[in-house]
Amino acid sequence: MTMRQTPRSDGTPEAPRTLPDGRPIPLLTGPELPTLESWLDFHRATLELKCRGLDDAQVRHASAQPSSLTLLGLVQHLAEVERTWFQRVVAGLDVPPVFEEETGYALAPGRGLDEALDAWRREIARGRELLAERALEDTGRIADGPMAGVEVSVRWVLIHLIEEYARHNGHADILRERIDGTAGA
């Protein structure tokens, strides 16, 4: 796999910034916060890549019985994840679910991929705004569920989101391969 490289002013190659498929390469050195953010951005771009070129019917195709998991459901779920961790936990906001069902997996008959991706991108943008105001050591509280009230750091939230996206991108790999044979990345 060839990566794009930009020459430095002295003519030596700079570390590549993107993969050939357009995904940003996570920072290889530097401060912790931008490094964590770059890994999260890489995984967000991977999810979007898994959906690229598919129509609304294809993204509703379930992986394998008995699972009802779909790419559309993953996009919706990760919009909910973004909202939960950045708005509810980090910022302490009382906001409703993005979609009608709080996990995001349920598919509304009229909602297509473009609408779900738009909602997901809005949640990412809002999360970035809220994150820009905080340090890694800042804390928030888990809003509900079995760990309700537990304090977590922004660092923990970022690491958790990287893990959440990485896990779901593995699911997305399987879903995409089942839909049209596209594998990898």
Side-chain angles (χ1 to χ4, degrees):
M1 175 179 287
T2 304
M3 294 184 257
R4 296 182 200 146
Q5 291 186 316
T6 306
R8 296 181 182 165
S9 58
D10 67 0
T12 60
E14 187 175 291
R17 297 180 192 271
T18 60
L19 294 170
D21 58 26
R23 289 179 296 157
I25 295 174
L27 294 176
L28 304 173
T29 60
E32 186 179 9
L33 179 58
T35 300
L36 291 172
E37 289 174 316
S38 75
W39 271 103
L40 185 52
D41 285 340
F42 170 79
H43 284 294
R44 288 167 171 156
T46 299
L47 178 66
E48 195 160 8
L49 177 66
K50 288 298 169 185
C51 297
R52 190 177 301 153
L54 298 177
D55 62 32
D56 288 343
Q58 289 172 308
V59 295
R60 289 174 170 275
H61 187 79
S63 57
Q65 292 297 331
S67 176
S68 60
L69 187 64
T70 66
L71 280 172
L72 181 57
L74 281 176
V75 171
Q76 293 176 170
H77 171 67
L78 287 162
E80 296 291 356
V81 165
E82 294 271 353
R83 177 169 283 192
T84 293
W85 289 103
F86 288 119
Q87 293 189 51
R88 292 188 184 108
V89 174
V90 171
L93 301 174
D94 182 17
V95 292
V98 179
F99 302 105
E100 52 283 332
E101 186 267 325
E102 66 185 32
T103 69
Y105 289 119
L107 304 182
R111 185 179 309 114
L113 180 60
D114 289 341
E115 182 181 345
L117 285 171
D118 287 346
W120 173 70
R121 288 181 190 118
R122 282 191 304 275
E123 293 306 314
I124 290 169
R126 182 65 176 129
R128 284 186 175 129
E129 289 171 10
L130 295 168
L131 192 59
E133 302 168 5
R134 289 168 174 76
L136 286 171
E137 297 77 22
D138 288 350
T139 60
R141 291 203 181 275
I142 296 177
D144 52 25
M147 293 177 56
V150 172
E151 186 176 65
V152 293
S153 68
V154 168
R155 175 182 288 105
W156 187 93
V157 169
L158 287 169
I159 291 168
H160 173 68
L161 284 175
I162 291 165
E163 175 271 331
E164 178 104 4
Y165 269 93
R167 182 167 31 99
H168 287 314
N169 282 335
H171 301 138
D173 281 338
I174 294 166
L175 287 160
R176 182 64 191 250
E177 188 170 7
R178 182 147 170 94
I179 291 166
D180 69 358
T182 300

